[in-house]
Amino acid sequence: MNYKRLGDYIREVDVRNRDLSVTTLVGLTINKAFIPSVANVIGADLSNYKVIRKEQFACSLMQVSRDGKMPVAMFENATAIMSPAYPMFEVIDKSILMPQYLMMWFSRKEFDREASFYAVGGVRGSLTWEDFCDMKLPIPSIERQRVIVAEYETLSKRIRLNEQMISTLEAAAQTLYRKMFVDGIDKENLPTGWRMGTIANFCKDMKSGGTPSRTNNLYWDKKEYRWLKSGEVHNNIIVDIEEYISKEGLDNSSARLIPVGTVTMAMYGATAAQVAYIDCETTTNQACCNMICHTKNDAAYLFFHLLANQEDVKKLANGGAQENLSQELIAQQPIVIFDDESIKSNFTTILNKIILRYRENKNLTELQSLLLAKM
């Protein structure tokens, strides 16, 4: 297949919000997605912000080599505004190149590696617009593009449906938790067999992890043990891990194997107080507080308990440049302790359904990666 120069198929777009008719402000993440902007625009001149419309693209060319990724995404809603710092562009002729096909190309790991390579010589590892336009991609017939995009979108729709079902199930678990442990419950006069305790009382064991030295390649050269970073903990189910360590890395650090069914809470930084249920054997870094339970029923109950009380825990975080929790502080947090397995099993049933959808999405995402790799 002949490769074509990207710049011959796209053109820059620079439409400003002069009449202030657009008020929705969005930003762009490193993971190639638009999000509502959290920027403080009080007093800002929004008439100078750029307008982005459906099937147009925004990107960031800054520090591409440092991040190893180029933030770029196709806008799918009607219209919004963005910071004038973002370059924007659109496909010149959609009968020759589908915007959706182009976005698939941008989603490939190979694209990010190539963009990072070109950015090495730029100022602070940034990619120039000229080098970006000089990148090449295969452009098959429009009919073939439609087939490729349709296959990818079928997988994307299934992923979105699973995400919606996960949200529904999580909401059901929180409703159940409030009904059982919040509404109408007097903690000074609990039902027979119930008592107030702490997380430390409730758990079988609590432990943190460790990080093998990054300067010793032997600790990282083999994919023998999963190694979970606290940044991967974001009120989710962990079914796989981004990084691995070797047996040498495990033996020569404070990292420890954590069993399936562990509930973990991030202790430092932006993800402090975020919770995850670990559905795979793994090690973790030292910023994870790992709570090992006696049974899966206990783990399911603890997981949803921590989600329900997350904001209270987060308020206890302290520190200077970043928020900090400690294992001791988490261990002291209160929890209702009881032996009625029928109540706990309701949480397990919901958790199992959520896990199934996480695992299905992992498989669907892998299929998407295979499709991208074949482009």
Side-chain angles (χ1 to χ4, degrees), residues 192-228:
T192 302
W194 293 27
R195 65 184 175 88
M196 289 303 301
T198 65
I199 299 293
N201 300 147
F202 181 80
C203 290
K204 178 180 179 182
D205 194 10
M206 294 181 68
K207 59 180 69 176
S208 60
T211 303
S213 172
R214 289 285 190 179
T215 62
N216 192 327
N217 292 334
L218 290 177
Y219 296 168
W220 301 89
D221 65 345
K222 297 175 185 176
K223 297 181 67 171
E224 293 179 321
Y225 298 97
R226 295 180 180 91
W227 183 75
L228 174 68

Side-chain angles (χ1 to χ4, degrees), residues 67-345:
D67 297 332
K69 278 187 176 183
M70 177 179 164
V72 56
M74 182 188 75
F75 195 65
E76 298 184 20
N77 295 326
T79 185
I81 52 174
M82 300 185 71
S83 164
Y86 289 106
M88 294 182 185
F89 59 93
E90 65 184 4
V91 172
I92 295 172
D93 189 342
K94 297 177 184 178
S95 67
I96 297 176
L97 176 61
M98 294 179 66
Q100 294 79 4
Y101 175 86
L102 181 58
M103 187 61 230
M104 286 180 63
W105 180 259
F106 290 147
S107 301
R108 301 172 80 245
K109 293 179 180 178
E110 294 80 2
F111 166 79
D112 283 325
R113 283 197 289 267
E114 185 179 2
S116 299
F117 173 78
Y118 283 119
V120 168
V123 178
R124 295 181 180 175
S126 298
L127 185 68
T128 66
W129 175 256
E130 291 73 21
D131 283 341
F132 176 58
C133 288
D134 283 340
M135 295 178 72
K136 295 183 178 181
L137 75 159
I139 302 181
S141 68
I142 197 68
E143 291 78 16
R144 179 58 185 159
Q145 290 180 49
R146 291 191 184 108
V147 171
I148 294 171
V149 169
E151 290 176 347
Y152 191 83
E153 185 56 28
T154 296
L155 297 174
S156 297
K157 287 179 179 177
R158 182 62 189 176
I159 291 172
R160 289 194 293 269
L161 285 173
N162 279 336
E163 289 172 344
Q164 292 170 6
M165 182 55 68
I166 288 170
S167 295
T168 300
L169 289 166
E170 288 173 342
Q174 290 305 304
T175 298
L176 175 62
Y177 181 89
R178 287 194 300 273
K179 179 180 179 182
M180 297 299 304
F181 305 104
V182 178
D183 299 338
I185 291 294
D186 180 2
K187 292 183 179 180
E188 301 299 324
N189 187 27
L190 292 171
T192 302
W194 293 27
R195 65 184 175 88
M196 289 303 301
T198 65
I199 299 293
N201 300 147
F202 181 80
C203 290
K204 178 180 179 182
D205 194 10
M206 294 181 68
K207 59 180 69 176
S208 60
T211 303
S213 172
R214 289 285 190 179
T215 62
N216 192 327
N217 292 334
L218 290 177
Y219 296 168
W220 301 89
D221 65 345
K222 297 175 185 176
K223 297 181 67 171
E224 293 179 321
Y225 298 97
R226 295 180 180 91
W227 183 75
L228 174 68
K229 303 185 293 295
S230 55
E232 297 174 70
V233 177
H234 45 84
N235 295 348
N236 57 333
I237 308 297
I238 304 291
V239 297
D240 204 358
I241 312 297
E242 294 176 358
E243 291 191 82
Y244 287 73
I245 60 175
S246 65
K247 187 177 188 303
E248 289 84 356
L250 177 65
D251 293 340
N252 292 283
S253 73
S254 57
R256 294 292 179 266
L257 274 175
I258 303 300
V260 173
T262 296
V263 178
T264 191
M265 175 174 279
M267 294 190 287
Y268 312 146
T271 58
Q274 293 282 293
V275 186
Y277 177 88
I278 303 178
D279 198 48
C280 57
E281 186 179 68
T282 186
T283 63
T284 76
N285 70 8
Q286 62 274 20
C288 291
C289 175
N290 302 304
M291 293 159 273
I292 301 169
C293 297
H294 295 276
T295 66
K296 185 169 183 177
N297 279 351
D298 282 358
Y301 166 55
L302 177 61
F303 177 62
F304 292 116
H305 166 81
L306 290 172
L307 286 175
N309 294 277
Q310 186 173 62
E311 290 305 313
D312 291 336
V313 177
K314 189 174 179 64
K315 290 175 184 176
L316 301 173
N318 58 66
Q322 61 180 7
E323 294 177 307
N324 290 288
L325 294 167
S326 66
Q327 183 170 301
E328 292 74 19
L329 187 151
I330 296 169
Q332 295 167 8
Q333 296 311 297
I335 186 173
V336 176
I337 300 176
F338 57 94
D339 295 325
D340 191 336
E341 294 300 316
S342 64
I343 295 176
K344 297 177 189 175
S345 66

